[in-house]
């Protein structure tokens, strides 16, 4: 008896959901409410970077914010880079969001580093879970690393976005940029 690829994936997904449900019962703690500053997303630059009006400046200026824990495809990485940017725009452009900082607050490019919450959705996690970005463990900023890793496993199993077996992303964003230079 030959089992189709789709049926096998469906069976594995069901099994995985069942196991996550069993393991999650009794192991889950009440979710910790994020804290931070509420800002409006003025513009989405890429699948991992937004611009806000700086809340700490007397003269309003745009400040870039890099989402912690993810690595979205380069904009030139067709079609995934533009798809990641569009999805981030759908999730938060023009919206009020909560920026939650971690241990390291900015990077070498003077971008603010943050987890982005819209309502009760961790946008960083949502991008990974839907296959628009890779989870990227940080040395200092790792508060939600496990959530991001779980989201990436989900996207891979489901074949979403960059994990689509018919059109997978062949190179990580870093490998792609290295090839372009």
């Amino acid at each position: 008896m030959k089992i189709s690829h789709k049926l096998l994936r469906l069976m594995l997904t069901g099994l995985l959901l069942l196991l996550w449900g069993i393991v999650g019962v009794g192991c889950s703690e009440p979710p910790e409410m994020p804290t931070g500053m509420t800002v409006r997303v003025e513009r989405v630059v890429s699948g991992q970077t937004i611009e806000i009006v700086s809340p700490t400046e007397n003269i309003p200026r745009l400040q870039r914010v890099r989402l912690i824990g993810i690595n979205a495809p380069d904009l030139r990485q067709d079609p995934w880079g533009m798809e990641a940017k569009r999805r981030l725009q759908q999730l938060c452009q023009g919206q009020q969001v909560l920026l939650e900082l971690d241990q390291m607050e900015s990077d070498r490019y003077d971008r603010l580093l943050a987890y982005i919450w819209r309502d009760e959705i961790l946008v960083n996690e949502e991008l990974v879970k839907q296959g628009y970005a890779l989870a990227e463990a940080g040395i200092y900023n790792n508060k939600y690393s496990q959530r991001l890793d779980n989201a990436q496993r989900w996207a891979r199993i489901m074949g979403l976005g960059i994990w689509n077996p018919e059109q997978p992303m062949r190179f990580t964003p870093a490998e792609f940029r290295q090839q372009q230079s």
Side-chain angles (χ1 to χ4, degrees):
M1 179 169 95
K2 187 175 180 181
I3 298 177
S4 74
H5 179 67
K6 287 183 180 182
L7 180 59
L8 183 59
R9 186 189 307 167
L10 184 61
M11 289 169 44
L12 287 173
T13 301
L15 180 60
L16 181 65
L17 288 173
L18 178 65
L19 288 173
W20 272 351
I22 291 170
V23 170
V25 173
C27 296
S28 60
E29 299 174 17
E32 185 180 319
M33 293 305 295
T35 58
M37 61 184 138
T38 302
V39 297
R40 183 177 188 274
V41 176
E42 299 297 326
R43 183 170 88 94
V44 172
V45 177
S46 70
Q48 64 194 21
T49 306
I50 62 170
E51 287 184 337
I52 61 167
V53 173
S54 175
T56 60
E57 302 283 330
N58 291 334
I59 300 170
R61 74 171 181 88
L62 289 179
Q63 180 175 14
R64 289 203 171 179
V65 179
R66 167 74 160 77
L67 279 69
I68 296 173
I70 70 167
N71 195 357
D74 189 281
L75 288 173
R76 299 167 296 162
Q77 219 167 338
D78 191 41
W80 307 281
M82 289 306 293
E83 286 180 7
K85 179 181 177 180
R86 276 192 287 277
R87 184 61 184 134
L88 186 53
Q89 286 171 326
Q90 292 168 348
L91 287 168
C92 66
Q93 186 159 312
Q95 303 286 321
Q96 293 289 328
V97 298
L98 179 78
L99 299 184
E100 181 182 9
L101 306 179
D102 206 337
Q103 293 179 22
M104 197 164 105
E105 294 184 3
S106 62
D107 66 8
R108 63 182 175 176
Y109 303 109
D110 202 32
R111 295 178 296 190
L112 197 59
L113 299 172
Y115 299 103
I116 306 220
W117 293 88
R118 195 194 85 224
D119 302 323
E120 294 182 11
I121 296 170
L122 177 55
V123 173
N124 313 48
E125 178 183 35
E126 195 66 19
L127 288 169
V128 173
K129 187 176 183 181
Q130 295 176 7
Y132 290 102
L134 296 168
E136 181 177 72
I139 296 170
Y140 300 105
N141 294 344
N142 54 20
K143 182 175 183 177
Y144 297 111
S145 291
Q146 190 60 54
R147 283 180 71 159
L148 295 170
D149 287 344
N150 290 342
Q152 182 163 292
R153 276 195 280 283
W154 172 259
R156 286 181 80 168
I157 289 167
M158 298 305 294
L160 301 175
I162 60 178
W163 306 106
N164 180 339
E166 276 108 45
Q167 189 182 15
M169 185 172 71
R170 301 265 182 227
F171 302 102
T172 67
E175 291 168 340
F176 178 82
R177 283 189 289 278
Q178 188 176 32
Q179 283 187 345
Q180 301 301 308
S181 57

